[in-house]
Amino acid sequence: MQQVETEVGPFTRRSRSLHVRGDARGLTRPLVAGEHLLVHDPVAGEHFTALVADAAPAGSPEGYRLVLGTRITAAEAQEWLAPWPPARHTTHLTTRDIVALLAELRHTQSRMSQARDEALAQ
């Protein structure tokens, strides 16, 4: 999971919508619509979950529109940024595990819908 660093001002907190440039600090690769990520506000020292609502074409300077989710603790943010799947043998599911499973389900559903639409178009 990626983390972008940007100040989250009062208006952004109210609107829950945030625009970040494609070259924003912390991004290691382009984002895709529907992707989950973390937003870190270094000024306030807070972390938030976020979802990429709109993504500009790769290489475009327009960037991304993010929908801000819930505020999480610094410990939870570290857990989310750790490599996944974890190298552990336990039945305890973390919040990140559940989010990853839901994201995988959403992508599978999207691929199935696309395949169905293609089959119906033939």
Side-chain angles (χ1 to χ4, degrees):
M1 179 171 291
Q2 292 200 78
Q3 174 176 275
V4 64
E5 294 199 20
T6 186
E7 186 174 350
V8 180
F11 178 76
T12 301
R13 290 171 190 270
R14 287 191 307 273
S15 69
R16 310 304 290 178
S17 184
L18 172 68
H19 180 268
V20 294
R21 294 176 38 98
D23 61 353
R25 184 173 164 210
L27 294 180
T28 58
R29 62 169 174 73
L31 300 172
V32 295
E35 182 176 350
H36 290 268
L37 72 151
L38 295 178
V39 173
H40 176 237
D41 180 345
V43 175
E46 296 176 323
H47 295 83
F48 299 88
T49 62
L51 179 72
V52 179
D54 298 307
S60 174
E62 284 102 37
Y64 310 97
R65 185 175 68 83
L66 309 179
V67 175
L68 213 57
T70 59
R71 189 169 59 190
I72 61 174
T73 66
E76 288 172 319
Q78 288 303 316
E79 180 183 296
W80 284 43
L81 292 171
W84 198 83
R88 65 173 194 259
H89 302 288
T90 180
T91 57
H92 173 73
L93 288 176
T94 65
T95 305
R96 181 175 180 194
D97 294 336
I98 294 168
V99 169
L101 290 170
L102 290 173
E104 184 178 334
L105 177 62
R106 184 173 37 259
H107 291 299
T108 301
Q109 181 182 16
S110 175
R111 287 191 304 268
M112 290 178 66
S113 295
Q114 183 179 12
R116 182 196 67 221
D117 293 344
E118 290 172 0
L120 292 174
Q122 294 178 358

